[in-house]
Amino acid sequence: MVVNINVYFVCQLLEEYLSQLGYYYIANKSNKKKIIELFHSLPFFFFDNKTQSILYKVIQKNNITAHIDDNIAMKKLCHNIYKDFCLDVNYPYKDYEEYYDNIKYKLTHDTYYMKKMKQKH
């Protein structure tokens, strides 16, 4: 069975997942080990061979081990992977500041929204 995944969906999903990952990353011994495994397995969560191939090449192009020692470097890595994937599929990408401002807003907005829902009930 051939699966064709909408690349716009993949770009949006990568933006949300990787920006949150970069935003909250804490560099400790166990996280450093697991983050490498996560990035190497990430392409396999998309079931379209073309998408897997593009994402795999993008991840290989970015040196993961050089970015796992602190949060700032991880943020740059996550944005680079997102940006490079978007460029490869001709999708407009957000610059670094907008990328992380967007996730900060969504995280804050969700917290605010849940608080309001609890107050109503």
Side-chain angles (χ1 to χ4, degrees):
M1 179 171 89
V2 175
V3 177
N4 291 319
I5 296 178
N6 182 345
V7 294
Y8 304 113
F9 169 78
V10 175
C11 290
Q12 290 173 348
L13 186 64
L14 284 175
E15 176 190 350
E16 301 230 351
Y17 183 69
L18 292 176
S19 62
Q20 186 177 4
L21 179 76
Y23 190 74
Y24 286 113
Y25 179 74
I26 298 170
N28 60 36
K29 188 176 180 178
S30 62
N31 285 353
K32 288 178 183 182
K33 180 180 176 185
K34 291 297 182 182
I35 201 75
I36 292 170
E37 292 174 15
L38 173 72
F39 277 115
H40 287 292
S41 63
L42 188 60
F44 300 105
F45 289 100
F46 298 97
F47 300 106
D48 177 23
N49 288 336
K50 181 180 176 187
T51 303
Q52 284 179 348
S53 177
I54 294 169
L55 188 54
Y56 178 80
K57 288 175 185 173
V58 164
I59 290 170
Q60 293 302 315
K61 185 170 79 173
N62 290 278
N63 185 357
I64 297 168
T65 55
H67 294 88
I68 62 173
D69 292 328
D70 62 43
N71 179 264
I72 295 169
M74 182 56 65
K75 281 182 165 182
K76 289 178 184 174
L77 173 67
C78 290
H79 181 260
N80 285 342
I81 290 172
Y82 156 76
K83 180 182 79 172
D84 290 348
F85 183 86
C86 289
L87 286 171
D88 283 357
V89 297
N90 295 319
Y91 182 79
Y93 64 90
K94 295 177 180 167
D95 67 16
Y96 183 86
E97 279 75 30
E98 184 181 5
Y99 181 74
Y100 283 108
D101 285 347
N102 190 36
I103 195 65
K104 283 186 223 176
Y105 171 75
K106 286 182 180 181
L107 293 170
T108 305
H109 183 70
D110 269 315
T111 304
Y112 175 78
Y113 179 76
M114 294 305 290
K115 184 177 179 181
K116 290 292 182 188
M117 289 296 291
K118 287 179 182 177
Q119 287 175 350
K120 286 182 181 179
H121 297 289

